[in-house]
Amino acid sequence: MSSLFGILPLLVVSLGVLLLMLAEAFGRAPATAGKTLDTFDAGSGRQSELGVVAAVVLFAGAIAAVAVGLAGPERLGVEGLLPYLVVDRFSIFASFVICLLAGLVCLLASGYLGEHGIDRSEFFPLLGWSTVGALGLVAAGDLLSLFVSLETLSLGVYCLIGLRRTGRALEAALKYFLLGSFASALLLFGSALLYGATGHTDLAGIGTAVGAVAAGAKGSALLVSGMVLVLAGFSFKVAVVPFHGWTPDAYEGAATPATAYMASVVKMAAFAALMRVLFVAFADERLSSWGAGWPPIFALFAVLSMTGANLVAGRQRSVKRMLAYSSIAHAGYAMVGVVSAIRAPDAQSSVMFYLFAYALSTAGAFGALILCGSAGKEATTLEDLAGLGRRHPAVALPFALFLLSLAGIPPTAGFFGKLYIFKTAIEGDLTWLVLLGLVNSVIGAYYYLRVIVAMYMREPEPDAPVAVPMRAPAVGVALAILALGVLWLGLFPGAALSALSQATLGVSAH
C-alpha cells in the first residue's frame, strides 16, 4: 500500500483518463449531417465540459503529488518500485508541476476547441495519456521504464499536433513523428550499448559500474558510444540546437493549446528525465569532466541555442513562431544550469526553479494568444495584436506580464529564474557562459518588447485583421492562475527555492 501511495499521482491521472475516455466514447452526441470544422459553435458545450473534467482529474493528480510530498517519500517504503520508478522529492515536485500545467492547458483547450469549431473530444484523453507518460518519465529509474514513458508521452503529442487535420498541422505532425522516431531509435540503441558495457539497465547500477568500465580499455568505447546516443536522443526532446529543427513547424502548425502543452509540460518532463540520467548514471568524474565528458558538449549546445534561437526569433512576424524559437533559447538557458550543476550542486534546484518559472510564463503567453482569437479567427501576428492594449486592456495586461517574465524583467518569475541560473554558473567558474547568457537576454528582450509595443503603441493598419478576444470563463481562470503563479514566484522566490533545495538528485561537485 505504501508503494501504491508513492505513485498516487500516476494512479489518479491514469484512472481519471480511463473514466474520461468512457465519458467521451459513450457520451458523444450523434454527428450532425453536413457539420464541418468551419462550424464555429460545433460541440462547444461538449468541449467545455470535457475540458473542465480533464482539468479536475489533472488537478487531483497535483493534489496527490502534494500529499505524497507531505507524507515524505523517504518514509513511505517504496523500495518495491525500484529500480523502475523512483519516488523522491525530485520526481514529486516535477509531477506536481506537470499535473498543474496539464490541467491549466485543459482549461485553455476547453474554450479554444469549441470557439474554433474543432470538434475533437479525443484531445483530452490524448493529453491525459501523454501526461501519464510524463509522470512516468520524471520518476523513471531504469532505461526500460524511461523508454516506455517517453514513447507514451511522445505518441500522444504526435496525435495532438495533427488533430486539427489541416495541411500545416499534418505536415508538422509528420515532421515531428519522423524526427521523434529517429531520436527514440538513438535512445534505444544507446541504451542497448550501455547495457552491453555495464550489464545494467537501471540508472543507479549504470552509475556504479561506469567508474570501473571507464577506467579500463575494455568496454569504454561501448560506454561512451551509448552515452552519446542516449544524450543525443534527449537533446532532441528538450529541443536544443542542433536538435531543434522540428520545433518551429510543430509549434506553429499545432492547435495553440497543444503548443502550450509541448512548450511547458513536455519540456519540463524531458529536462527532469535528462537531469536524472546525467546526475545518476553519468555523474562519474570520467564522464562529467570538462576534459572529455558531457559538460563541454552541453555548454556548446547552450551557447548555440541561446544565440541562434534569439537571433532568428527577432525576425519573426508570427508571434506563435517567435515563441517557438523563444522556447529553444530558454532550453539553452536551462542547459547553463545543468552544466553548472557538476561544479555547483545547488544549481539543480536553480534549474528546477527556472523550468517552473519558464513553464508558467510560456503556457501563459500561449494562453493569452488563445484568448485573443474568436469565431475561428486566431490572432498570431504582430498586425493582429496591434492596438490590443487600448481596445482590450484586460487581455493585453496578462499577455504583457508573461512576455516580461520570459524576457527576465523584475519582479517576475523569469527574472529570478535567470538570476539563480547565472549565480550558480558563476559559482561553478563559468563566468564566460554567464556573459553570453546576459548578452542573449538583451537580444531576447527586443522581440518580447516588440510584441508589447505592438499591443500598446500601434494602431491596426487599414483592412488588417483585428484581434477580437473570445468569451471563455475557463480560459480566463487558467490565465489568472498562471499570472498569479508568475507574480508569486517573482515576489517570493526565496520560499520556492528553499523548498526546491530538498528536491535535488545529490550529485557531488568535482
Side-chain angles (χ1 to χ4, degrees), residues 94-95 113 174 181 216 225 246 251 255 262 292 360 431 443 482:
S95 298
L113 296 179
L174 181 61
S181 300
S225 299
W246 60 273
Y251 279 33
M262 286 190 288
L360 289 173
T431 306
I443 298 174
L482 289 166

Side-chain angles (χ1 to χ4, degrees), residues 56-117:
V56 169
V57 168
L58 291 161
F59 290 151
I63 294 172
V66 173
V68 176
L70 293 176
E74 60 278 352
R75 299 192 300 270
L76 289 177
V78 291
E79 289 79 8
L81 298 171
L82 298 175
Y84 299 105
L85 292 176
V86 180
V87 180
D88 54 14
R89 294 194 178 275
F90 183 85
S91 63
I92 290 169
F93 172 75
S95 298
F96 167 76
V97 175
I98 285 169
C99 289
L100 175 65
L101 290 170
L104 293 173
V105 170
C106 286
L107 291 180
L108 295 175
S110 68
Y112 176 91
L113 296 179
E115 187 72 26
H116 295 281

Side-chain angles (χ1 to χ4, degrees), residues 57-457:
V57 168
L58 291 161
F59 290 151
I63 294 172
V66 173
V68 176
L70 293 176
E74 60 278 352
R75 299 192 300 270
L76 289 177
V78 291
E79 289 79 8
L81 298 171
L82 298 175
Y84 299 105
L85 292 176
V86 180
V87 180
D88 54 14
R89 294 194 178 275
F90 183 85
S91 63
I92 290 169
F93 172 75
S95 298
F96 167 76
V97 175
I98 285 169
C99 289
L100 175 65
L101 290 170
L104 293 173
V105 170
C106 286
L107 291 180
L108 295 175
S110 68
Y112 176 91
L113 296 179
E115 187 72 26
H116 295 281
I118 304 175
D119 190 11
R120 293 285 178 263
S121 300
E122 58 269 32
F123 181 96
F124 300 104
L126 284 171
L127 186 145
W129 284 122
S130 291
T131 305
V132 170
L135 294 174
L137 187 61
V138 299
D142 189 280
L143 292 174
L144 298 177
S145 55
L146 188 149
F147 180 77
V148 171
S149 299
L150 185 62
E151 289 304 289
T152 304
L153 168 65
S154 300
L155 289 173
V157 174
Y158 300 151
C159 297
L160 287 176
I161 296 174
L163 205 61
R164 200 179 213 175
R165 298 185 185 177
T166 63
R168 178 171 291 182
L170 294 176
E171 178 186 355
L174 181 61
K175 286 181 180 178
Y176 189 25
F177 173 70
L178 293 176
L179 291 175
S181 300
F182 181 70
S184 297
L186 292 180
L187 180 63
L188 191 60
F189 189 38
S191 301
L193 294 181
L194 288 176
Y195 175 70
T198 65
H200 293 272
T201 58
D202 61 296
L203 300 181
I206 292 173
T208 303
V210 154
V213 175
K218 184 178 180 180
S220 59
L222 206 62
L223 172 65
V224 173
S225 299
M227 181 185 73
V228 169
L229 291 176
V230 167
L231 295 185
F234 269 109
S235 298
F236 172 88
K237 293 301 179 182
V238 300
V240 290
V241 177
F243 301 94
H244 68 294
W246 60 273
T247 310
D249 289 336
Y251 279 33
E252 188 176 29
T256 308
T259 306
Y261 184 80
M262 286 190 288
S264 55
V265 174
V266 174
K267 186 147 296 193
M268 180 76 187
F271 258 108
L274 174 62
M275 290 173 66
R276 189 178 293 278
V277 170
L278 290 176
F279 301 139
V280 175
F282 301 143
D284 185 86
E285 292 186 16
R286 296 173 182 84
L287 297 181
S288 60
S289 69
W290 277 85
W294 53 262
I297 302 299
F298 276 176
L300 176 62
F301 289 171
V303 173
L304 293 176
S305 300
M306 291 185 295
T307 307
N310 279 325
L311 291 176
V312 177
R315 302 172 56 187
Q316 303 302 314
R317 303 299 299 176
S318 168
V319 178
K320 201 172 176 182
R321 196 172 183 86
M322 180 207 77
L323 290 173
Y325 282 105
S326 164
S327 74
I328 299 171
H330 282 280
Y333 296 127
M335 199 63 77
V336 172
V338 172
V339 172
S340 305
I342 290 298
R343 295 177 177 175
D346 290 343
Q348 290 187 35
S349 56
S350 298
V351 173
M352 296 303 287
F353 181 96
Y354 182 84
L355 290 173
F356 189 21
Y358 157 77
L360 289 173
S361 303
T362 197
F366 282 113
L369 276 182
I370 289 173
L371 189 60
C372 288
S374 61
K377 298 179 181 179
E378 294 193 66
T380 58
T381 67
L382 294 176
E383 289 75 15
D384 297 338
L385 299 174
L388 184 68
R390 295 182 181 178
R391 290 180 285 106
H392 305 285
V395 177
L397 182 60
F399 200 175
L401 172 66
F402 298 128
L403 292 173
L404 291 175
S405 181
L406 289 171
I409 306 298
T412 61
F415 170 77
F416 286 99
K418 286 185 179 179
L419 177 66
Y420 292 145
I421 286 285
F422 292 155
K423 177 177 176 290
T424 53
I426 292 174
E427 293 173 354
D429 297 326
L430 296 174
T431 306
W432 62 274
L433 204 52
V434 174
L435 293 176
L436 289 173
L438 290 172
V439 171
N440 276 285
S441 296
V442 174
I443 298 174
Y446 158 73
Y447 56 81
Y448 294 124
L449 293 176
R450 189 173 66 158
V451 179
I452 297 176
V453 168
M455 290 193 297
Y456 285 96
M457 302 181 185

